[in-house]
Amino acid sequence: MGTSLVALAQDNSISRSISDNGKTLSIRVKGTQNGKNYDYDRSFDVSNLDKAARNDLSNRILDSLGLEKLSVPSPPSAPSAPSAPKVSVQSASTQKRNSADGQNPFSKEVSYSSSSGELLLRYKFKRDGKDVLFERTIDARNKSEQERQQLISEVEKEIGVPAKKN
């Protein structure tokens, strides 16, 4: 059985080489395929032929030898450029909550622009019977969502907004 495998491996061992520099077409075929031995080495003057005619000539020669034409692999495509890390974007949204004294409602607007890296915080509430508008823009470029949430919590603590309950 070992001899059969070796014979089978040798039966289909063939090397083909086609070289075309636009002036000379060289075709070399050596080896064995399906029990047939090949030893072909020829060069042709193709200086007066265009590329299509030179390809046709090499295909006709391979066909006359009983071999199929060589398929030229396509060059690999270039890898795509790495994309920028995706940053989660919170669109401007408003949420109602209770103010620090628990009596007066307030509005909260948080928006993050991934293009500028700006985190905008806007709060409207009543304190001591007066309307208060608090706005802060923070440079949050290169901050993770968790780090941005921490910044928001710190601002809310600073202005007396109760922390978000889980």
Side-chain angles (χ1 to χ4, degrees), residues 1 18 20-21 24 26 32 36 44 51 65 75 89 95 99-100 103 107 119-120 129 139 142 151 153 155-156 163:
M1 181 156 187
I18 298 177
D20 179 3
N21 65 8
T24 305
S26 299
T32 305
K36 187 174 178 183
F44 304 91
K51 185 174 182 175
L65 293 170
V89 177
Q95 300 173 342
S99 65
Q103 301 298 318
S107 66
L119 177 66
L120 171 67
D139 181 4
N142 301 323
L151 290 170
S153 296
V155 168
E156 289 178 354

Side-chain angles (χ1 to χ4, degrees), residues 27 29 36 38 40 59-68:
I27 299 177
V29 179
K36 187 174 178 183
Y38 293 92
Y40 184 88
N59 287 335
R60 283 187 290 143
I61 292 168
L62 290 174
D63 186 50
S64 71
L65 293 170
L67 299 170
E68 39 205 63

Side-chain angles (χ1 to χ4, degrees), residues 124-136:
K124 293 179 187 175
F125 56 93
K126 288 192 180 267
R127 178 177 287 152
D128 300 327
K130 296 180 183 175
D131 289 325
V132 177
L133 173 63
F134 177 86
E135 284 188 14
R136 182 172 289 172

Side-chain angles (χ1 to χ4, degrees), residues 87 140-151:
V87 178
R141 189 180 350 238
N142 301 323
K143 301 280 187 197
S144 69
E145 173 124 13
Q146 184 178 2
E147 290 170 315
R148 290 194 307 267
Q149 290 300 325
Q150 181 63 35
L151 290 170

